Amino acid sequence: MKQADALNQAGTLAELGTLGVLLAVARRDLLLALRRKSEVMTVLFFFVIVVSLFPLGIGPEMALLRIIAPGVLWVAALLAAMLSLNRLFAADYADGTLEQMVLSPAPLGLLVIGKILAHWLVTGLPLVLIAPLLGLQYDLDGRALGVLMLSLLIGTPLLSLIGAIGAALTLGVRGGGVLLSLLTLPLYIPALIFGAGAVEADISGLGATGHLSLLAALLALACFFAPWATTAGLRIALE
Amino acid sequence: MSNKIIHWFKYGSPQSFYPLAGKMIPWFWALAAIFCVAGLWIGFFVAPTDATQGEAYRIIFIHVPASWMSMFLYIVMACWAGIGLSLNTRLSSMMASAIAPTGAMFAFLSLWTGALWGKPMWGTWWVWDARLTSELILLFLYLGFMALQAAIDEPRRADKAGAILALVGVVNVPIIYFSVKWWNTLHQGASISMSKAPTMAITMLWGMLVMALAFWMYSIAVALQRARAIMLERERHTDWVKYAVE
Amino acid sequence: MLTAINLACVRGDRHLFANLGFTLEPGGRLHVTGENGSGKTSLLRILCGLSPPESGQIHWQGEPIRGLGDEYRKAVLYLGHHNAIKEELTALENLRTTAALAGIAVADEEGVALLGRVGLAGREDLPVRFLSQGQKRRVALSRLLWSPAPLWILDEPFVALDTAAVSWLAEIVGAHLDRGGMAVLTSHQEVNIASGIAQFLRITP
């Protein structure tokens, strides 16, 4: 490293640790989201409008709405997460930032985790926060609303992680958007089953712990596996 | 020692695999036909009529082996794709792409025969039974794999991207199956289960096994044939293809 | 020392080049020339490890780059066709995040000083989308000022720059070579780099 030091023209610049690089990537993406607020709002508004459409299509019977509420809210969250995935890597791919990420001395997996973290904070967390409000439209009681929030809190990061794989694989591919949903939605099914199932189980008095722990187990598995698959996908896209 | 290894790897290259596969294909077709006739004969003439389900149950001689094959082929496909990704062998990736349509066909066949079976049994074309639902998701996974490969022009990139998707899929298939099963047992509405097959007579099992063998042979024959076509297309600029086509 | 041995590259059905080799010593620069579509960019991407060559090896300090991993990535600076900057961010924010990606922390005042050196004094806090094409390129080129990487791989670095900026950049590259650095570059225009041992590599099919 002597040579590198000799070549450091500024001389005084400090090195960042790997965690520092991860945080820098996340901070940059959050800053970008802040500058293009409309994109964030679109996803949130999409979630709200899809959930509000169901009673109009089915009828305002509260007994029925209570039954379908967990499924509707979760499917809408799934679709909203889908909608935002397209942009996860596309801009970085188009402007050459992704090349610099692959060439960064920090492990690409860490940078990807930083990006997914920012993506979740920007698109996943707002869904979690607004979900109880929409749950009220479906006459869910306080406990069920709490379980709904908790299931989304565990589930939306899972959606971001799995979705990142699809986003990486369809990068720069013809018809990427539609293809992305074809690839990702089947992989979302376990999250949907356990997430919506948790709320249902709570409403029917069975207790949501089992569902929630399975959802958390899936999240742990995805944390381990998804960044690997995503990095592999990104490297292939850049070759 | 090293001689032998080189000799084996010889068949890993398309130009030596191409004629070998060409010689093997007719044999697999013949075996497929023989097993198919035998299996159908057992299924239609030897196996006894079921006490509760009558003659309609005989569709399981197609339905069950088709379901087996569709799941098994996904694993085989993922294995080839994984080998292609890690060892960078062209032939393995071509085999993965060649297997996918056959697997999708069997998944579709399984769904179709399931619907045909469901109608006389429960008066409905579709039941949200755990196995049928998993099979439907498996079909989606196959379609996703094929769509991804079709959307990428550069064959190498298509191979690698498809391989990652197949590997992700193979990790997910048990999770999906388990979660769908869990979902199914929690909802009383779908208490009808395809998995409750009629009490199995030993001849029925034989019939299904022979049919599964027939499907095996068919899959190998078709996959080899498709792999040959993919080889010709991808290597159309090389000398051996010009020679092989002439 | 960077060594390329028997490199070959295939894109789709086209064989771009084969049996390409060179050795680049400290203080040396390699000018890659060739017609449009001859594979200059492909070669540069192979050299920095973005895409694998069809066949052949690349060695850095005598070791194949495949096995070096982050050690090689630390040693390389790649400047591609794209500027790798974000239109919504200011020049300073862009500089700081690009540096962070390379694992280097740049404080605000250091960043302002660096931007001053690329001729963007007073425009540090303007979103990059308000800058001209040449000014955007300068933001991207500011990486050359803080990077400790000994090997610079520059794809058309002079594009969109005015004459003053071109000679400034030639000086920067020259100073890098004087310090014992290395550079691989492509360029359509004649550029006067005073220092370093020059090699020329023309890619022919």
Side-chain angles (χ1 to χ4, degrees):
Chain A
M1 281 289 92
K2 250 190 185 146
Q3 194 181 9
D5 285 342
L7 288 171
N8 191 341
Q9 308 142 60
T12 53
L13 298 180
E15 285 203 16
L16 272 176
T18 33
L19 194 66
V21 181
L22 186 155
L23 291 176
V25 170
R27 198 183 312 123
R28 186 208 61 172
D29 276 17
L30 290 176
L31 198 59
L32 278 172
L34 204 69
R35 303 267 159 91
R36 329 172 178 148
K37 283 191 206 73
S38 65
E39 287 185 11
V40 182
M41 294 311 288
T42 317
V43 173
L44 196 60
F45 186 60
F46 177 84
F47 181 56
V48 173
I49 200 164
V50 168
V51 172
S52 311
L53 280 179
F54 274 85
L56 296 174
I58 291 169
E61 232 179 293
M62 273 306 171
L64 182 61
L65 290 183
R66 248 196 311 275
I67 294 172
I68 63 165
V72 167
L73 279 154
W74 256 90
V75 169
L78 231 64
L79 295 176
M82 276 301 333
L83 196 69
S84 61
L85 279 176
N86 262 330
R87 290 187 296 263
L88 182 53
F89 297 116
D92 285 344
Y93 179 67
D95 66 20
T97 313
L98 204 55
E99 284 169 355
Q100 298 302 334
M101 288 185 170
V102 172
L103 293 176
S104 160
L108 182 56
L110 266 164
L111 307 185
V112 163
I113 291 174
K115 280 195 71 73
I116 295 175
L117 180 68
H119 177 260
W120 176 74
L121 284 173
V122 166
T123 62
L125 194 59
L127 301 187
V128 179
L129 296 177
I130 205 163
L133 206 63
L134 299 175
L136 286 178
Q137 289 186 320
Y138 285 74
D139 195 28
L140 293 182
D141 60 31
R143 250 185 78 88
L145 288 179
V147 174
L148 175 68
M149 275 185 88
L150 196 58
S151 74
L152 282 172
L153 192 64
I154 307 171
T156 42
L158 181 61
L159 299 183
S160 292
L161 281 163
I162 298 174
I165 304 174
L169 288 176
T170 55
L171 210 50
V173 163
R174 247 181 289 124
V178 188
L179 191 58
L180 177 59
S181 37
L182 186 58
L183 302 189
T184 317
L185 284 177
L187 302 177
Y188 276 175
I189 287 168
L192 171 68
I193 287 175
F194 295 131
V199 188
E200 263 167 54
D202 181 73
I203 292 172
S204 57
L206 288 172
T209 335
H211 285 89
L212 289 177
S213 5
L214 282 167
L215 200 59
L218 285 185
L219 179 61
L221 192 69
C223 279
F224 193 70
F225 197 68
W228 173 83
T230 309
T231 27
L234 290 177
R235 280 183 211 281
I236 290 166
L238 284 177
E239 263 179 21
Chain B
M1 191 63 204
S2 64
N3 252 344
K4 258 180 195 164
I5 294 167
I6 290 164
H7 185 72
W8 268 110
F9 264 94
K10 196 181 110 181
Y11 294 102
S13 80
Q15 59 264 48
S16 36
F17 181 82
Y18 183 85
L20 180 73
K23 269 179 234 151
M24 278 152 58
I25 288 167
W27 292 99
F28 283 112
W29 273 119
L31 285 172
I34 295 168
F35 283 126
C36 188
V37 170
L40 288 178
W41 180 70
I42 297 175
F44 280 103
F45 300 107
V46 180
T49 306
D50 187 72
T52 50
Q53 303 200 12
E55 302 292 348
Y57 90 92
R58 287 184 198 276
I59 203 156
I60 63 163
F61 290 109
I62 307 240
H63 174 76
V64 175
S67 313
W68 289 346
M69 278 317 284
S70 64
M71 287 177 215
F72 197 74
L73 282 179
Y74 195 88
I75 297 168
V76 174
M77 179 183 89
C79 283
W80 279 122
I83 293 171
L85 186 68
S86 51
L87 301 181
N88 206 7
T89 44
R90 287 173 294 170
L91 185 63
S92 327
S93 306
M94 288 178 192
M95 282 307 288
S97 317
I99 289 170
T102 311
M105 190 275 283
F106 277 121
F108 180 74
L109 191 64
S110 158
L111 288 174
W112 192 17
T113 50
L116 286 179
W117 190 15
K119 186 65 181 166
M121 285 303 111
W122 304 292
T124 162
W125 294 109
W126 182 261
V127 284
W128 285 100
D129 144 85
R131 290 203 181 178
L132 273 186
T133 312
S134 306
E135 198 69 43
L136 182 66
I137 298 165
L138 186 65
L139 179 62
F140 291 155
L141 290 178
Y142 273 120
L143 293 180
F145 178 84
M146 284 153 67
L148 180 65
Q149 289 213 322
I152 302 175
D153 292 320
E154 178 94 9
R156 288 286 178 81
R157 189 185 160 190
D159 283 344
K160 291 180 181 173
I164 288 173
L165 186 66
L167 291 176
V168 171
V170 108
V171 172
N172 264 279
V173 162
I175 298 174
I176 291 173
Y177 183 71
F178 169 69
S179 63
V180 169
K181 227 177 154 147
W182 166 286
W183 160 82
N184 191 247
T185 47
L186 283 184
H187 291 76
Q188 273 74 28
S191 57
I192 308 159
S193 174
M194 283 279 185
S195 47
K196 283 178 197 140
T199 38
M200 202 92 75
I202 194 79
T203 41
M204 287 185 193
L205 188 65
W206 270 112
M208 284 196 276
L209 284 176
V210 173
M211 278 311 285
L213 263 176
F215 284 173
W216 253 113
M217 296 301 133
Y218 164 82
S219 306
I220 296 174
V222 171
L224 286 179
Q225 210 151 359
R226 208 174 280 121
R228 265 166 62 104
I230 295 171
M231 265 171 218
L232 287 189
E233 193 190 338
R234 287 207 190 166
E235 314 232 328
R236 60 186 174 275
H237 296 285
T238 58
D239 292 333
W240 77 264
V241 167
K242 280 171 200 142
Y243 181 73
V245 172
E246 268 163 21
Chain C
M1 188 175 79
L2 180 74
T3 322
I5 310 152
N6 280 333
L7 290 183
C9 172
V10 178
R11 277 280 169 273
D13 290 335
R14 298 203 320 120
H15 289 257
L16 290 175
F17 51 79
N19 292 324
L20 188 152
F22 63 84
T23 301
L24 195 60
E25 304 274 358
R29 59 189 151 98
L30 177 74
H31 293 262
V32 181
T33 58
E35 290 158 22
N36 289 334
S38 59
K40 298 189 291 287
T41 296
S42 297
L43 174 63
L44 263 48
R45 292 174 65 91
I46 289 173
L47 288 181
C48 61
L50 274 173
S51 29
E54 178 73 17
S55 61
Q57 285 115 38
I58 301 157
H59 292 236
W60 172 249
Q61 320 288 34
E63 307 266 338
I65 60 166
R66 278 278 150 204
L68 285 175
D70 62 329
E71 205 182 309
Y72 183 61
R73 296 201 299 271
K74 249 185 210 148
V76 174
L77 178 150
Y78 173 66
L79 192 81
H81 280 284
H82 299 295
N83 287 331
I85 54 175
K86 296 282 172 196
E87 302 264 305
E88 289 87 350
L89 300 185
T90 67
L92 185 58
E93 285 162 348
N94 266 305
L95 183 141
R96 295 192 59 195
T97 46
T98 316
L101 270 186
I104 288 171
V106 176
D108 273 346
E109 52 274 26
E110 289 167 333
V112 171
L114 289 170
L115 286 171
R117 285 178 59 195
V118 294
L120 289 170
R123 295 194 171 77
E124 302 90 1
D125 291 325
L126 216 57
V128 166
R129 68 168 177 279
F130 296 121
L131 299 181
S132 76
Q133 207 55 40
Q135 286 173 321
K136 284 180 194 166
R137 195 65 180 164
R138 287 168 189 235
V139 176
L141 287 170
S142 65
R143 293 173 51 205
L144 302 180
L145 298 179
W146 51 252
S147 174
L151 174 61
W152 290 3
I153 297 182
L154 313 174
D155 200 354
E156 296 290 348
F158 300 100
V159 158
L161 295 180
D162 55 27
T163 16
V166 167
S167 46
W168 169 81
L169 178 55
E171 260 171 50
I172 294 284
V173 175
H176 172 68
L177 297 174
D178 285 340
R179 280 192 303 269
M182 288 165 248
V184 179
L185 45 122
T186 63
S187 172
H188 282 305
Q189 55 212 94
E190 281 294 315
V191 188
N192 241 330
I193 301 173
S195 36
I197 310 129
Q199 293 182 65
F200 292 86
L201 180 75
R202 183 165 180 80
I203 300 183
T204 43

